[in-house]
């Protein structure tokens, strides 16, 4: 049974939101990795390093969870772009003109 139009639009919206938040989590992971590296170089074994590593682990886990959720939805990286470029005509060269 095909999903209803409202279900498809909700799915598209959820995918957009997951992609957006996944990029945020990736940026936060990179930021906290850099912060943890700098803190470990300046003050190894400090409480600040522990906090940086903990936040790095949290954002890395959130990034992985968002990626898994997108994979479970069966969304490929190019599926949205390919679908938006698809034409509405199902018959190629319907006008009888020669292909260019």
């Amino acid at each position: 049974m095909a999903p209803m139009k409202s279900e498809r639009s909700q799915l598209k919206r959820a995918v957009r939101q997951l992609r957006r938040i996944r990029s945020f989590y990736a940026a936060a992971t990179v930021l906290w990795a850099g912060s943890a590296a700098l803190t470990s170089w300046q003050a190894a074994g400090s409480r600040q390093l522990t906090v940086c590593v903990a936040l790095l682990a949290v954002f890395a886990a959130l990034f992985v969870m968002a990626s898994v959720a997108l994979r479970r939805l069966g969304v490929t990286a190019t599926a949205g772009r390919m679908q938006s470029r698809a034409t509405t005509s199902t018959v190629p060269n319907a006008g009888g003109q020669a292909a260019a």
Side-chain angles (χ1 to χ4, degrees):
M1 198 168 165
M4 296 180 64
K5 188 174 183 178
S6 63
E7 291 175 0
R8 280 184 277 166
S9 64
Q10 287 177 350
L11 179 65
K12 287 180 183 179
R13 183 174 181 223
V15 168
R16 271 196 316 265
Q17 288 176 344
L18 272 172
R19 284 184 179 154
R20 192 175 304 136
I21 199 69
R22 184 180 61 169
S23 64
F24 173 78
Y25 291 152
T29 301
V30 169
L31 174 78
W32 286 111
S35 179
L38 182 65
T39 305
S40 69
W41 183 56
Q42 291 178 346
S46 66
R47 183 174 293 179
Q48 290 86 1
L49 178 61
T50 306
V51 170
C52 287
V53 170
L55 287 170
L56 172 63
V58 166
F59 280 108
L62 288 170
F63 174 75
V64 168
M65 288 172 47
S67 297
V68 168
L70 277 171
R71 182 168 292 187
R72 283 187 181 168
L73 288 173
V75 177
T76 61
T78 59
R81 286 183 241 139
M82 294 300 283
Q83 195 173 32
S84 67
R85 291 182 186 167
T87 60
T88 57
S89 174
T90 58
V91 180
N93 200 10
Q97 303 288 330

